[in-house]
Amino acid sequence: MNDVIKITQDLIRCPSVTPKDEGAQELLAALLSDAGFECHHLPFGEGEERVPNLFARIGASGPHICYAGHTDVVPPGDESKWTYGPFNPEIKDGILYGRGASDMKGSVAAFAAGAIAHVNKNGAPENGSISLLITGDEEGVAINGTAKVLEWMDENGHIPDVSIVGEPSNPDQLGDELKIGRRGSLTCVVEVRGRQGHVAYPERADNPMPRLARVAAALSDYEFDTGNAYFPPTNLEITSIDVGNPTENVIPNAGTIHFNIRFNDIWDSDGLVAKLHEIIAGLSDDYQLDTRCGAVSFLTQPGAWSDVVSSAVEEITGRKPELSTKGGTSDARFIQAYSPVVEFGPINNSIHQIDEHAKVEDLENLTVIYERIIELYLAQ
Ligand SMILES: [Zn+2]
């Protein structure tokens, strides 16, 4: 059996700080090729922006289950603060330490080991396919990673019927949460304008500051919705209010409010932008609103696919995972446009930290869970 811990350790030894790979995907491709997977190396981007990606598939027909993950990691920070060093995977008291142990080389190793175990027991699937979509660009700008691989998969007949992202989804224990969607993110800046002038001659100026304050209050107070069964309410947070006025006797020309909205599936970004214009235009004639949608919101309706994953998790851990949409964005935001996608992976309490770690037992159980998911899904 391919040992999940050995694979994780081998991957951690590759210092694949985004967007570097340092042999991580080559190592994975070698393992998968040996088990009969057809591997495609799919680098996208030029020069400094070149990102390594790997797509591996076994089986030619549907139903097709795809695992998505990344082999890049965030920088280690001050390496001298690590107990064993970030790229020196050590096990102490049943805990494996190293950058990527949880986010998410341990997860990638668990799925690879689980899928290989399934193939070793059952042979290559005759009716069905198993694939892995591995990017080196998840922790970076995410331009030349999953989004581009999906386009390639679409052009080459590799779009899966269901997908699972192996990001660390569990807050404390394996089996806590199964993510079935994510909120969207809209980053905005509004400039409220007036006319500059001398504080002693306010009739010749138009001070935008009171309007700026009213706009800030109105944005912050607005109740977009009250949430629904799977999502918390849409929330707007002001991150900065700036005037940049160094003087005490000049009425400023304009001021800006920076804010971010995390929105549920009741809204899309166009609808939100229209609502923002309505709120702001009601208080200020002269303004400019700029927005950037970092992620759309999505929900994979609970049903056949989430049931398969949920029952495999419950079988192995004895815990029924809560269906959740909490947390930041992941590459599931790209995958949701092509197939139903859920997220289940390691514990996230040490990710991006010094001494990132994962319990050996959890990675072993995760391997069995992924193998069971494959088994249950392909048996349908
Ligand atoms: Zn991650």
Side-chain angles (χ1 to χ4, degrees):
M1 184 192 149
N2 271 289
D3 180 29
V4 59
I5 302 307
K6 180 176 183 308
I7 304 173
T8 307
Q9 287 178 307
D10 288 347
L11 287 172
I12 290 174
R13 278 189 201 99
C14 308
S16 52
V17 174
T18 197
K20 287 208 182 78
D21 181 59
E22 306 294 342
Q25 291 182 8
E26 206 56 68
L27 190 155
L28 205 57
L31 278 174
L32 292 165
S33 298
D34 282 350
F37 282 76
E38 198 176 287
C39 294
H40 304 264
H41 289 280
L42 303 165
F44 290 108
E46 299 298 326
E48 297 263 287
E49 280 156 21
R50 188 177 160 94
V51 167
N53 301 285
L54 172 69
F55 178 74
R57 176 174 178 173
I58 191 164
S61 67
H64 174 183
I65 174 175
C66 178
Y67 168 92
H70 60 87
T71 43
D72 59 326
V73 294
V74 292
D78 184 350
E79 294 201 25
S80 69
K81 293 225 165 78
W82 286 72
T83 309
Y84 307 105
F87 308 114
N88 175 35
E90 285 288 333
I91 297 173
K92 174 92 170 136
D93 299 329
I95 295 171
L96 169 62
Y97 293 86
R99 175 58 88 223
S102 289
D103 188 9
M104 59 182 284
K105 289 173 168 175
S107 171
V108 170
F111 190 88
I116 291 170
H118 177 86
V119 171
N120 287 345
K121 278 180 210 159
N122 304 281
E126 282 174 23
N127 298 302
S129 302
I130 310 163
S131 70
L132 293 89
L133 187 184
I134 306 296
T135 180
D137 186 32
E138 203 277 337
E139 303 288 10
V141 287
I143 289 169
N144 292 314
T146 299
K148 294 233 169 110
V149 179
L150 283 163
E151 284 172 22
W152 178 90
M153 286 165 68
D154 197 12
E155 285 158 18
N156 291 277
H158 291 303
I159 291 300
D161 297 295
V162 294
S163 306
I164 180 163
V165 172
E167 288 284 353
S169 62
N170 288 288
D172 297 306
Q173 273 183 283
L174 211 56
D176 281 341
E177 285 184 22
L178 171 60
K179 300 220 190 287
I180 55 166
R182 287 294 170 97
R183 291 181 297 174
S185 172
L186 186 74
T187 300
C188 313
V189 51
V190 59
E191 184 181 60
V192 176
R193 294 162 177 161
R195 196 170 65 250
Q196 188 176 312
H198 196 297
V199 290
Y201 302 94
E203 67 282 1
R204 292 184 191 161
D206 172 23
N207 193 339
M209 293 305 103
R211 286 197 297 283
L212 186 76
R214 282 194 286 272
V215 168
L219 289 172
S220 183
D221 290 347
Y222 190 75
E223 189 182 277
F224 289 89
D225 55 63
T226 53
N228 58 26
Y230 296 104
F231 283 96
T234 294
N235 182 59
L236 183 154
E237 287 300 323
I238 293 174
T239 52
S240 190
I241 300 178
D242 304 282
V243 182
N245 184 1
T247 71
E248 291 176 343
N249 58 359
V250 176
I251 292 169
N253 184 49
T256 58
I257 306 164
H258 288 256
F259 56 102
N260 175 271
I261 303 176
R262 292 295 155 113
F263 58 99
N264 57 39
D265 66 337
I266 297 169
W267 293 89
D268 60 21
S269 69
D270 288 348
L272 275 177
V273 172
K275 177 55 73 181
L276 292 173
H277 277 293
E278 191 187 309
I279 296 169
I280 301 163
L283 296 165
S284 178
D285 294 336
D286 193 2
Y287 71 92
Q288 180 169 326
L289 174 66
D290 293 311
T291 62
R292 183 173 53 82
C293 183
V296 297
S297 61
F298 71 93
L299 178 73
T300 296
Q301 280 296 338
W305 177 222
S306 58
D307 287 350
V308 163
V309 178
S310 191
S311 40
V313 172
E314 195 176 355
E315 228 176 87
I316 313 304
T317 66
R319 317 175 72 226
K320 195 177 171 62
E322 181 200 335
L323 301 180
S324 142
T325 58
K326 288 179 210 148
T329 62
S330 79
D331 278 357
R333 71 190 191 271
F334 303 122
I335 300 168
Q336 57 88 25
Y338 296 89
S339 96
V341 57
V342 299
E343 286 181 59
F344 188 84
I347 317 297
N348 57 29
N349 63 4
S350 70
I351 61 173
H352 296 207
Q353 295 180 11
I354 302 266
D355 282 344
E356 178 178 347
H357 57 269
K359 274 191 199 151
V360 167
E361 190 194 356
D362 284 343
L363 294 181
E364 286 169 349
N365 283 335
L366 187 61
T367 307
V368 182
I369 290 171
Y370 285 148
E371 186 185 349
R372 187 69 181 135
I373 291 170
I374 294 169
E375 211 166 53
L376 286 174
Y377 180 70
L378 293 185
Q380 279 184 334

